[in-house]
Amino acid sequence: FTDFNKVVKGKLAPLFQKALKLQGKFGSENMFVLTARPPQAAKAIHDFLKANGLNIPIKNITGLANSTSERFCKRKRWN
């Protein structure tokens, strides 16, 4: 499962251009990525997004390491 920490043959999502426009208008400080990938994947995701022009701060990329939001909500105390 170590490949799950990498971005391999990444493709841009349909709303990626919209994200770029929002970044241009408002900046990227309040843009976030929440993923089922493990936290170790944050650097690879950050590098992929940055290479495609989206400069979301790495601190705003959260890997859950599973596909449920329960763990994230408990960690952030949002429940």
Side-chain angles (χ1 to χ4, degrees):
F1 290 102
T2 57
D3 282 347
F4 206 53
N5 295 341
K6 303 173 188 173
V7 176
V8 180
K9 297 182 183 178
K11 296 179 182 164
L12 299 179
L15 295 175
F16 193 82
Q17 293 303 317
K18 176 81 170 172
L20 289 175
K21 287 180 184 179
L22 289 171
Q23 174 183 250
K25 187 172 184 180
F26 301 109
S28 61
E29 192 62 35
N30 290 314
M31 297 177 92
F32 298 87
V33 173
L34 180 61
T35 178
R37 290 177 180 256
Q40 297 85 349
K43 171 115 173 63
I45 293 168
H46 179 261
D47 292 346
F48 173 78
L49 294 174
K50 191 172 183 177
N52 286 285
L54 191 57
N55 297 307
I56 295 176
I58 195 163
K59 67 183 173 101
N60 293 0
I61 301 172
T62 300
L64 298 175
N66 67 41
S67 61
T68 66
S69 61
E70 183 177 323
R71 181 172 161 240
F72 178 74
C73 290
K74 285 181 181 176
R75 186 168 52 113
K76 295 293 186 181
R77 297 191 173 111
W78 288 359
N79 56 355

